[in-house]
Amino acid sequence: MMTTLRSLTVPIGELSATIGLLEYLVLNDQLAWIRSGEGLVGFGESARFTSSGPERFADAQQWWLKLADDAAIDNPLSVPGSGLAAFGSFGFSKRSPFESRLIVPEIVVGSRDGVTWITQTTTDPEAELSPASAQSALALYLDAVPVAREPDPEDRILPGILSEAEWKNAVARSVAHINAGDLSKIVLARDIVASLGSPLSAAQVLRELALRYRSCWTYSVDGLIGSTPEMLIKVENGVARARVLAGTLDRASAPADDPEYPQRMLAGSDKQRHEHQIAIDSLTRHLEPFTSSMTSHTEPFVLELPNVWHLASDVAAVLAPGADGGIPTSLALVEALHPTAAVCGFPTSVAGELISELEHMDRGPYAGPVGWMDAEGNGEWGIALRGAVIEDPRTVRLYAGCGIVAGSNPAAELAETWSKFRPMLEALDLDRARGAVTGSRS
Protein backbone atom coordinates (compact mmCIF):
# COMPACT_ATOMS: atom_id res chain seq x y z
CA MET A 1 0.00 0.00 0.00
CA MET A 2 1.39 3.41 -1.02
CA THR A 3 2.16 5.77 1.84
CA THR A 4 0.33 9.12 1.73
CA LEU A 5 2.56 12.02 2.69
CA ARG A 6 1.95 15.55 3.89
CA SER A 7 4.71 18.13 3.71
CA LEU A 8 5.09 21.75 4.73
CA THR A 9 7.89 24.08 3.69
CA VAL A 10 8.75 27.03 5.93
CA PRO A 11 11.19 29.81 4.91
CA ILE A 12 13.76 30.59 7.61
CA GLY A 13 16.54 33.11 8.13
CA GLU A 14 19.82 33.16 6.29
CA LEU A 15 22.56 30.67 7.10
CA SER A 16 26.06 31.52 8.23
CA ALA A 17 27.98 32.89 5.26
CA THR A 18 31.07 31.05 6.52
CA ILE A 19 29.88 27.46 6.86
CA GLY A 20 26.31 27.43 5.54
CA LEU A 21 24.64 24.04 5.84
CA LEU A 22 27.70 22.49 7.46
CA GLU A 23 26.36 23.54 10.86
CA TYR A 24 23.57 20.98 10.35
CA LEU A 25 25.94 18.04 9.81
CA VAL A 26 25.61 16.48 13.25
CA LEU A 27 24.44 12.88 12.71
CA ASN A 28 26.27 9.79 11.55
CA ASP A 29 23.25 8.71 9.50
CA GLN A 30 22.90 12.15 7.90
CA LEU A 31 21.42 12.67 4.44
CA ALA A 32 23.33 15.40 2.65
CA TRP A 33 23.98 17.11 -0.67
CA ILE A 34 26.15 20.21 -0.23
CA ARG A 35 28.22 22.44 -2.52
CA SER A 36 29.77 25.74 -1.42
CA GLY A 37 27.70 25.65 1.78
CA GLU A 38 24.36 25.31 -0.03
CA GLY A 39 22.17 22.34 -0.89
CA LEU A 40 20.04 19.98 1.17
CA VAL A 41 20.50 18.24 4.53
CA GLY A 42 18.03 15.57 5.64
CA PHE A 43 17.08 14.14 9.04
CA GLY A 44 15.02 11.05 9.80
CA GLU A 45 12.86 9.10 7.38
CA SER A 46 9.23 9.39 6.29
CA ALA A 47 9.28 7.02 3.30
CA ARG A 48 11.69 4.68 1.52
CA PHE A 49 11.78 2.75 -1.73
CA THR A 50 14.33 0.10 -2.72
CA SER A 51 14.90 -1.79 -5.94
CA SER A 52 17.68 -3.59 -7.78
CA GLY A 53 18.27 -4.94 -11.26
CA PRO A 54 17.79 -3.47 -14.74
CA GLU A 55 14.49 -1.77 -13.82
CA ARG A 56 15.78 -0.03 -10.68
CA PHE A 57 15.50 3.48 -12.17
CA ALA A 58 12.11 2.94 -13.78
CA ASP A 59 10.72 1.34 -10.62
CA ALA A 60 11.97 4.22 -8.47
CA GLN A 61 10.57 6.78 -10.90
CA GLN A 62 7.14 5.13 -10.88
CA TRP A 63 7.11 5.00 -7.07
CA TRP A 64 8.18 8.63 -6.76
CA LEU A 65 5.68 10.01 -9.28
CA LYS A 66 2.81 8.21 -7.55
CA LEU A 67 4.00 9.26 -4.08
CA ALA A 68 4.38 12.91 -5.11
CA ASP A 69 1.06 12.95 -6.97
CA ASP A 70 -0.82 11.65 -3.91
CA ALA A 71 1.01 13.88 -1.40
CA ALA A 72 -0.43 17.05 0.13
CA ILE A 73 2.36 19.56 -0.46
CA ASP A 74 2.30 23.04 1.04
CA ASN A 75 5.26 24.91 -0.45
CA PRO A 76 5.25 28.72 -0.81
CA LEU A 77 8.66 28.69 -2.52
CA SER A 78 9.49 28.17 -6.19
CA VAL A 79 13.03 27.01 -5.49
CA PRO A 80 14.35 23.66 -6.80
CA GLY A 81 14.67 21.28 -3.86
CA SER A 82 11.99 22.93 -1.75
CA GLY A 83 8.76 21.11 -1.00
CA LEU A 84 8.66 17.31 -1.03
CA ALA A 85 12.10 15.91 -1.88
CA ALA A 86 13.93 12.59 -1.78
CA PHE A 87 17.59 11.62 -1.57
CA GLY A 88 18.75 8.70 -3.69
CA SER A 89 21.60 6.28 -4.34
CA PHE A 90 21.63 3.75 -7.18
CA GLY A 91 23.81 0.72 -7.84
CA PHE A 92 26.38 1.00 -10.60
CA SER A 93 25.48 -2.31 -12.24
CA LYS A 94 22.13 -3.76 -13.24
CA ARG A 95 23.48 -7.11 -12.07
CA SER A 96 24.42 -5.88 -8.60
CA PRO A 97 22.42 -7.15 -5.61
CA PHE A 98 22.88 -3.69 -4.05
CA GLU A 99 19.49 -2.19 -3.21
CA SER A 100 19.14 1.18 -4.88
CA ARG A 101 17.06 3.52 -2.78
CA LEU A 102 15.05 6.72 -2.56
CA ILE A 103 14.57 8.18 0.93
CA VAL A 104 12.14 10.93 1.91
CA PRO A 105 13.43 12.57 5.11
CA GLU A 106 11.22 13.75 7.94
CA ILE A 107 13.05 17.08 7.96
CA VAL A 108 15.01 18.79 5.19
CA VAL A 109 16.97 21.99 5.65
CA GLY A 110 17.65 23.59 2.28
CA SER A 111 19.56 26.62 1.09
CA ARG A 112 19.89 28.08 -2.38
CA ASP A 113 20.79 31.54 -3.69
CA GLY A 114 20.17 33.15 -0.31
CA VAL A 115 16.83 31.39 0.26
CA THR A 116 16.74 28.98 3.22
CA TRP A 117 13.91 26.72 4.32
CA ILE A 118 12.77 23.77 6.41
CA THR A 119 10.49 21.11 4.95
CA GLN A 120 8.72 18.76 7.35
CA THR A 121 7.14 15.59 5.95
CA THR A 122 4.92 13.11 7.78
CA THR A 123 2.78 10.04 7.14
CA ASP A 124 0.63 10.74 10.21
CA PRO A 125 -2.70 12.24 9.10
CA GLU A 126 -3.23 13.66 12.60
CA ALA A 127 0.20 15.22 13.07
CA GLU A 128 0.48 18.98 13.28
CA LEU A 129 2.29 20.67 10.40
CA SER A 130 3.19 24.26 11.17
CA PRO A 131 6.26 26.50 11.30
CA ALA A 132 6.50 25.72 15.02
CA SER A 133 6.28 21.94 14.49
CA ALA A 134 8.96 22.05 11.79
CA GLN A 135 11.32 24.03 14.01
CA SER A 136 10.63 21.74 16.98
CA ALA A 137 11.27 18.58 14.97
CA LEU A 138 14.54 20.00 13.66
CA ALA A 139 15.60 21.02 17.17
CA LEU A 140 15.21 17.42 18.37
CA TYR A 141 17.70 16.23 15.75
CA LEU A 142 20.09 19.08 16.46
CA ASP A 143 20.25 18.02 20.11
CA ALA A 144 22.74 15.41 18.91
CA VAL A 145 26.28 16.52 19.70
CA PRO A 146 28.74 15.38 17.00
CA VAL A 147 31.67 13.56 18.56
CA ALA A 148 35.06 14.39 17.08
CA ARG A 149 37.18 11.33 16.36
CA GLU A 150 40.90 11.46 17.09
CA PRO A 151 43.47 9.34 15.22
CA ASP A 152 43.83 5.91 16.80
CA PRO A 153 47.08 3.88 16.85
CA GLU A 154 45.05 0.88 15.66
CA ASP A 155 43.95 2.65 12.45
CA ARG A 156 45.05 0.69 9.38
CA ILE A 157 44.64 0.79 5.63
CA LEU A 158 44.18 -2.74 4.32
CA PRO A 159 44.12 -4.15 0.79
CA GLY A 160 40.78 -4.61 -0.89
CA ILE A 161 39.67 -7.38 -3.25
CA LEU A 162 42.80 -7.15 -5.41
CA SER A 163 46.36 -6.47 -4.35
CA GLU A 164 48.21 -3.65 -6.07
CA ALA A 165 50.11 -6.16 -8.25
CA GLU A 166 46.88 -7.92 -9.24
CA TRP A 167 45.22 -4.63 -10.11
CA LYS A 168 48.15 -3.51 -12.26
CA ASN A 169 47.88 -6.83 -14.10
CA ALA A 170 44.19 -6.07 -14.71
CA VAL A 171 45.21 -2.72 -16.23
CA ALA A 172 47.71 -4.46 -18.51
CA ARG A 173 45.03 -6.93 -19.61
CA SER A 174 42.67 -4.01 -20.30
CA VAL A 175 45.24 -2.31 -22.53
CA ALA A 176 45.69 -5.61 -24.41
CA HIS A 177 41.93 -5.74 -25.06
CA ILE A 178 42.02 -2.12 -26.30
CA ASN A 179 44.99 -2.80 -28.57
CA ALA A 180 43.13 -5.82 -29.96
CA GLY A 181 40.25 -3.54 -30.96
CA ASP A 182 37.71 -4.95 -28.47
CA LEU A 183 36.95 -1.47 -27.07
CA SER A 184 38.46 2.01 -26.92
CA LYS A 185 38.22 2.74 -23.19
CA ILE A 186 37.50 0.95 -19.93
CA VAL A 187 37.28 2.39 -16.41
CA LEU A 188 38.84 0.05 -13.86
CA ALA A 189 38.19 0.54 -10.15
CA ARG A 190 39.83 -0.85 -7.05
CA ASP A 191 39.06 -0.74 -3.35
CA ILE A 192 40.94 -0.44 -0.08
CA VAL A 193 39.65 -0.81 3.47
CA ALA A 194 40.06 1.64 6.35
CA SER A 195 40.07 -0.44 9.53
CA LEU A 196 39.60 1.94 12.45
CA GLY A 197 40.64 1.49 16.04
CA SER A 198 37.75 3.65 17.27
CA PRO A 199 34.27 4.30 15.82
CA LEU A 200 33.94 6.56 12.82
CA SER A 201 32.36 10.02 13.07
CA ALA A 202 30.62 10.27 9.70
CA ALA A 203 29.40 13.81 10.42
CA GLN A 204 33.00 14.90 11.02
CA VAL A 205 34.10 13.28 7.74
CA LEU A 206 31.33 15.08 5.84
CA ARG A 207 32.28 18.43 7.32
CA GLU A 208 35.92 17.88 6.36
CA LEU A 209 34.97 16.98 2.80
CA ALA A 210 32.55 19.88 2.40
CA LEU A 211 35.12 22.39 3.68
CA ARG A 212 38.07 21.10 1.65
CA TYR A 213 36.18 20.40 -1.56
CA ARG A 214 33.73 23.30 -1.71
CA SER A 215 33.45 23.19 -5.52
CA CYS A 216 32.50 19.49 -5.41
CA TRP A 217 29.19 17.97 -4.35
CA THR A 218 29.49 16.39 -0.89
CA TYR A 219 26.97 13.59 -0.48
CA SER A 220 25.70 11.18 2.17
CA VAL A 221 22.98 8.58 1.60
CA ASP A 222 22.60 5.52 3.81
CA GLY A 223 26.30 4.97 4.54
CA LEU A 224 27.54 6.09 1.12
CA ILE A 225 29.64 9.23 1.66
CA GLY A 226 32.01 11.27 -0.44
CA SER A 227 32.61 14.46 -2.40
CA THR A 228 32.21 14.08 -6.16
CA PRO A 229 33.52 16.52 -8.78
CA GLU A 230 31.30 15.03 -11.50
CA MET A 231 27.68 16.03 -12.13
CA LEU A 232 25.87 13.35 -14.12
CA ILE A 233 22.76 15.49 -14.63
CA LYS A 234 21.12 18.50 -13.02
CA VAL A 235 17.59 19.54 -14.00
CA GLU A 236 16.11 22.94 -13.14
CA ASN A 237 12.96 24.34 -14.66
CA GLY A 238 13.33 22.45 -17.94
CA VAL A 239 17.09 22.93 -18.40
CA ALA A 240 19.56 20.06 -17.95
CA ARG A 241 23.24 20.52 -17.11
CA ALA A 242 26.12 18.09 -16.72
CA ARG A 243 29.82 18.25 -15.89
CA VAL A 244 31.97 15.61 -17.54
CA LEU A 245 35.44 14.76 -16.24
CA ALA A 246 37.99 12.49 -17.87
CA GLY A 247 41.73 12.98 -17.74
CA THR A 248 43.48 13.32 -14.37
CA LEU A 249 46.77 14.76 -13.09
CA ASP A 250 47.97 14.39 -9.50
CA ARG A 251 48.86 17.70 -7.87
CA ALA A 252 51.15 16.09 -5.29
CA SER A 253 53.82 15.33 -7.90
CA ALA A 254 53.54 18.62 -9.83
CA PRO A 255 56.54 20.99 -10.04
CA ALA A 256 56.02 24.05 -7.84
CA ASP A 257 57.44 26.59 -10.31
CA ASP A 258 55.56 25.61 -13.49
CA PRO A 259 52.11 27.29 -13.68
CA GLU A 260 51.51 25.91 -17.20
CA TYR A 261 52.12 22.32 -16.08
CA PRO A 262 48.45 21.17 -15.75
CA GLN A 263 47.42 22.78 -19.05
CA ARG A 264 50.39 21.22 -20.86
CA MET A 265 50.04 17.78 -19.31
CA LEU A 266 46.25 17.54 -19.69
CA ALA A 267 45.03 19.73 -22.55
CA GLY A 268 48.30 19.15 -24.39
CA SER A 269 48.19 15.36 -24.07
CA ASP A 270 46.68 13.33 -26.91
CA LYS A 271 45.99 10.44 -24.49
CA GLN A 272 44.15 12.64 -21.98
CA ARG A 273 42.15 14.46 -24.67
CA HIS A 274 41.20 11.17 -26.32
CA GLU A 275 39.91 9.80 -23.02
CA HIS A 276 37.98 13.01 -22.39
CA GLN A 277 36.43 13.09 -25.86
CA ILE A 278 35.10 9.56 -25.46
CA ALA A 279 33.37 10.62 -22.23
CA ILE A 280 31.82 13.82 -23.60
CA ASP A 281 30.62 12.11 -26.79
CA SER A 282 29.00 9.36 -24.72
CA LEU A 283 27.01 11.81 -22.61
CA THR A 284 25.86 14.12 -25.40
CA ARG A 285 24.81 11.20 -27.60
CA HIS A 286 22.52 9.77 -24.89
CA LEU A 287 21.20 13.18 -23.78
CA GLU A 288 20.37 14.53 -27.25
CA PRO A 289 17.07 12.62 -27.78
CA PHE A 290 15.59 14.43 -24.75
CA THR A 291 16.54 17.95 -25.83
CA SER A 292 15.52 20.71 -28.23
CA SER A 293 18.97 22.35 -28.09
CA MET A 294 22.33 21.60 -26.48
CA THR A 295 25.59 23.46 -25.96
CA SER A 296 28.96 22.36 -24.62
CA HIS A 297 32.52 23.66 -24.48
CA THR A 298 34.35 23.41 -27.78
CA GLU A 299 37.52 22.86 -25.73
CA PRO A 300 37.73 21.20 -22.30
CA PHE A 301 38.97 23.30 -19.40
CA VAL A 302 41.30 22.32 -16.56
CA LEU A 303 39.39 21.90 -13.29
CA GLU A 304 41.56 22.50 -10.23
CA LEU A 305 40.79 20.51 -7.08
CA PRO A 306 42.86 20.26 -3.89
CA ASN A 307 44.15 16.78 -4.82
CA VAL A 308 44.13 16.63 -8.64
CA TRP A 309 43.51 18.49 -11.89
CA HIS A 310 40.92 17.18 -14.34
CA LEU A 311 40.02 17.88 -17.93
CA ALA A 312 36.39 19.01 -17.71
CA SER A 313 33.53 20.02 -19.97
CA ASP A 314 30.16 21.50 -19.03
CA VAL A 315 27.05 20.70 -21.06
CA ALA A 316 23.71 22.55 -21.01
CA ALA A 317 20.51 21.47 -22.79
CA VAL A 318 16.93 22.68 -23.08
CA LEU A 319 14.67 19.69 -22.48
CA ALA A 320 11.98 18.90 -25.04
CA PRO A 321 8.46 17.74 -24.08
CA GLY A 322 7.84 14.01 -24.41
CA ALA A 323 4.88 12.20 -25.90
CA ASP A 324 2.83 13.00 -22.78
CA GLY A 325 3.57 16.71 -23.12
CA GLY A 326 5.78 16.84 -20.04
CA ILE A 327 9.54 17.27 -19.91
CA PRO A 328 11.59 14.35 -18.60
CA THR A 329 12.37 14.26 -14.90
CA SER A 330 15.90 14.21 -13.57
CA LEU A 331 15.58 10.52 -12.74
CA ALA A 332 14.41 9.69 -16.27
CA LEU A 333 17.57 11.31 -17.59
CA VAL A 334 19.69 9.42 -15.07
CA GLU A 335 18.31 6.16 -16.45
CA ALA A 336 19.13 7.22 -20.01
CA LEU A 337 22.67 8.41 -19.24
CA HIS A 338 24.01 5.83 -16.79
CA PRO A 339 26.60 4.41 -17.10
CA THR A 340 28.58 6.99 -19.02
CA ALA A 341 31.93 6.31 -20.64
CA ALA A 342 33.51 8.39 -17.84
CA VAL A 343 32.81 5.64 -15.29
CA CYS A 344 32.41 2.54 -17.47
CA GLY A 345 34.14 2.84 -20.84
CA PHE A 346 33.23 2.60 -24.50
CA PRO A 347 31.40 0.76 -25.88
CA THR A 348 29.69 0.57 -22.48
CA SER A 349 28.25 -2.91 -23.05
CA VAL A 350 31.69 -4.36 -23.81
CA ALA A 351 33.37 -2.38 -21.04
CA GLY A 352 30.74 -3.45 -18.51
CA GLU A 353 31.34 -7.13 -19.18
CA LEU A 354 35.10 -6.69 -18.94
CA ILE A 355 34.81 -4.72 -15.69
CA SER A 356 33.04 -7.65 -14.04
CA GLU A 357 35.78 -10.00 -15.21
CA LEU A 358 38.77 -7.86 -14.24
CA GLU A 359 37.74 -6.06 -11.03
CA HIS A 360 36.53 -9.20 -9.18
CA MET A 361 34.20 -7.07 -7.04
CA ASP A 362 30.70 -5.67 -6.90
CA ARG A 363 30.96 -1.89 -7.05
CA GLY A 364 27.64 -1.52 -5.21
CA PRO A 365 26.79 2.21 -5.25
CA TYR A 366 30.32 3.31 -6.21
CA ALA A 367 30.23 5.20 -9.55
CA GLY A 368 26.43 4.99 -9.51
CA PRO A 369 24.11 8.01 -9.44
CA VAL A 370 23.70 9.78 -6.10
CA GLY A 371 21.71 12.92 -5.35
CA TRP A 372 18.17 14.22 -4.90
CA MET A 373 14.94 15.01 -6.72
CA ASP A 374 11.83 17.03 -5.91
CA ALA A 375 8.15 16.75 -6.75
CA GLU A 376 8.53 19.18 -9.69
CA GLY A 377 10.97 16.95 -11.57
CA ASN A 378 14.03 19.00 -10.62
CA GLY A 379 17.06 17.24 -9.23
CA GLU A 380 20.81 16.93 -9.02
CA TRP A 381 22.48 13.58 -9.60
CA GLY A 382 26.22 13.28 -9.27
CA ILE A 383 28.35 10.22 -9.86
CA ALA A 384 29.38 8.62 -6.57
CA LEU A 385 33.13 9.17 -6.85
CA ARG A 386 35.82 10.17 -4.31
CA GLY A 387 33.82 8.28 -1.73
CA ALA A 388 33.37 5.26 0.44
CA VAL A 389 30.83 2.90 1.93
CA ILE A 390 30.59 2.68 5.73
CA GLU A 391 30.28 -1.08 6.33
CA ASP A 392 30.23 -0.73 10.11
CA PRO A 393 31.43 1.94 12.61
CA ARG A 394 35.03 0.71 12.35
CA THR A 395 35.18 -0.42 8.71
CA VAL A 396 35.06 1.91 5.70
CA ARG A 397 35.58 0.65 2.15
CA LEU A 398 37.05 3.24 -0.24
CA TYR A 399 36.85 3.08 -4.04
CA ALA A 400 38.78 4.75 -6.86
CA GLY A 401 38.95 4.17 -10.59
CA CYS A 402 40.89 5.21 -13.68
CA GLY A 403 40.08 5.49 -17.34
CA ILE A 404 42.22 3.04 -19.30
CA VAL A 405 42.94 3.76 -22.96
CA ALA A 406 45.65 2.77 -25.43
CA GLY A 407 48.98 3.79 -23.93
CA SER A 408 47.88 3.58 -20.29
CA ASN A 409 50.67 2.56 -17.93
CA PRO A 410 49.71 0.24 -15.04
CA ALA A 411 52.06 1.86 -12.51
CA ALA A 412 50.86 5.36 -13.43
CA GLU A 413 47.21 4.28 -13.18
CA LEU A 414 47.85 2.77 -9.74
CA ALA A 415 49.39 6.05 -8.60
CA GLU A 416 46.32 7.87 -9.94
CA THR A 417 44.03 5.74 -7.76
CA TRP A 418 45.97 6.85 -4.68
CA SER A 419 45.46 10.49 -5.67
CA LYS A 420 41.72 9.79 -5.89
CA PHE A 421 41.66 7.99 -2.54
CA ARG A 422 43.27 11.06 -0.95
CA PRO A 423 40.08 13.11 -0.24
CA MET A 424 38.54 10.31 1.82
CA LEU A 425 41.82 9.29 3.47
CA GLU A 426 42.47 12.86 4.58
CA ALA A 427 38.90 13.29 5.83
CA LEU A 428 39.36 10.08 7.83
CA ASP A 429 42.76 11.41 9.03
CA LEU A 430 44.39 8.32 7.53
CA ASP A 431 46.59 9.79 4.80
CA ARG A 432 49.55 9.38 7.12
CA ALA A 433 48.86 5.64 7.20
CA ARG A 434 49.29 4.99 3.49
CA GLY A 435 52.45 3.02 4.17
CA ALA A 436 50.50 0.65 6.39
CA VAL A 437 48.78 -1.22 3.53
CA THR A 438 49.23 -4.67 4.98
CA GLY A 439 47.37 -7.87 5.58
CA SER A 440 45.32 -10.17 3.40
CA ARG A 441 42.43 -9.37 1.10
CA SER A 442 39.14 -8.17 2.58
Side-chain angles (χ1 to χ4, degrees):
M1 181 177 178
M2 181 69 74
T3 301
T4 300
L5 298 179
R6 297 187 299 135
S7 76
L8 172 68
T9 297
V10 181
I12 58 175
E14 293 185 3
L15 299 179
S16 163
T18 306
I19 61 174
L21 283 177
L22 274 63
E23 65 180 291
Y24 293 96
L25 295 177
V26 297
L27 301 178
N28 284 337
D29 58 353
Q30 196 90 55
L31 293 157
W33 181 265
I34 298 175
R35 185 177 191 240
S36 298
E38 295 191 332
L40 302 173
V41 172
F43 300 86
E45 183 176 313
S46 291
R48 170 185 289 256
F49 176 83
T50 60
S51 180
S52 58
E55 303 302 317
R56 62 198 185 283
F57 297 111
D59 291 345
Q61 163 109 326
Q62 183 179 11
W63 177 84
W64 175 248
L65 291 177
K66 179 68 165 62
L67 189 79
D69 187 57
D70 290 345
I73 303 171
D74 184 353
N75 177 21
L77 304 177
S78 57
V79 180
S82 63
L84 186 66
F87 290 78
S89 167
F90 288 82
F92 171 81
S93 172
K94 63 185 179 182
R95 291 187 289 268
S96 173
F98 173 79
E99 287 194 334
S100 300
R101 73 261 342 242
L102 288 176
I103 302 170
V104 180
E106 179 191 1
I107 292 289
V108 173
V109 180
S111 179
R112 181 185 179 90
D113 299 330
V115 180
T116 307
W117 66 89
I118 302 173
T119 296
Q120 182 181 14
T121 302
T122 182
T123 58
D124 183 353
E126 305 300 325
E128 176 192 3
L129 283 182
S130 67
S133 71
Q135 293 278 9
S136 295
L138 175 61
L140 290 176
Y141 287 109
L142 295 181
D143 278 345
V145 178
V147 178
R149 180 185 180 275
E150 298 296 330
D152 190 292
E154 296 301 314
D155 291 346
R156 294 289 184 272
I157 302 174
L158 304 177
I161 300 299
L162 296 181
S163 68
E164 291 190 346
E166 290 169 330
W167 192 80
K168 286 192 293 184
N169 181 59
V171 173
R173 290 175 61 192
S174 297
V175 173
H177 279 282
I178 292 168
N179 291 338
D182 298 335
L183 72 173
S184 57
K185 175 184 177 180
I186 182 173
V187 179
L188 275 191
R190 58 184 287 252
D191 64 330
I192 57 174
V193 177
S195 177
L196 306 178
S198 57
L200 170 77
S201 171
Q204 178 183 1
V205 171
L206 288 173
R207 288 195 300 274
E208 290 285 340
L209 289 170
L211 282 170
R212 297 183 187 191
Y213 293 83
R214 288 181 59 83
S215 65
C216 295
W217 292 269
T218 296
Y219 58 87
S220 175
V221 180
D222 251 19
L224 173 68
I225 61 174
S227 198
T228 182
E230 190 150 0
M231 175 62 71
L232 175 62
I233 200 71
K234 173 182 180 178
V235 174
E236 288 182 1
N237 304 318
V239 177
R241 303 181 189 276
R243 170 162 289 182
V244 180
L245 307 180
T248 303
L249 187 62
D250 190 357
R251 296 189 63 181
S253 57
D257 56 351
D258 187 354
E260 299 302 316
Y261 177 76
Q263 184 72 25
R264 186 174 66 253
M265 298 301 290
L266 287 174
S269 164
D270 290 341
K271 171 187 174 294
Q272 301 280 18
R273 290 181 68 97
H274 173 60
E275 180 186 345
H276 186 80
Q277 195 61 48
I278 291 172
I280 192 71
D281 288 347
S282 169
L283 180 128
T284 55
R285 184 173 57 254
H286 288 92
L287 182 59
E288 187 174 17
F290 299 91
T291 70
S292 58
S293 65
M294 183 162 49
T295 59
S296 63
H297 291 112
T298 55
E299 289 287 321
F301 62 93
V302 175
L303 176 67
E304 180 179 336
L305 299 175
N307 59 323
V308 296
W309 290 287
H310 285 297
L311 272 185
S313 292
D314 288 338
V315 177
V318 177
L319 297 174
D324 61 356
I327 62 171
T329 67
S330 62
L331 194 52
L333 295 180
V334 165
E335 180 177 18
L337 297 175
H338 178 78
T340 67
V343 293
C344 182
F346 186 80
T348 54
S349 57
V350 178
E353 292 292 333
L354 198 55
I355 283 170
S356 298
E357 175 187 335
L358 296 177
E359 288 184 352
H360 296 281
M361 69 176 181
D362 177 11
R363 289 186 177 185
Y366 166 72
V370 60
W372 63 268
M373 64 188 303
D374 67 19
E376 301 301 319
N378 302 305
E380 294 182 87
W381 296 94
I383 300 174
L385 305 174
R386 309 297 192 273
V389 173
I390 302 171
E391 297 185 341
D392 63 55
R394 297 174 187 261
T395 308
V396 184
R397 191 173 297 270
L398 287 67
Y399 297 86
C402 298
I404 311 302
V405 294
S408 290
N409 176 274
E413 301 299 338
L414 180 68
E416 183 177 316
T417 64
W418 280 109
S419 71
K420 292 175 176 177
F421 283 134
R422 195 177 305 136
M424 280 300 306
L425 289 173
E426 290 176 345
L428 290 164
D429 204 8
L430 284 173
D431 199 43
R432 68 194 185 345
R434 168 163 173 199
V437 182
T438 60
S440 59
R441 297 185 196 176
S442 301

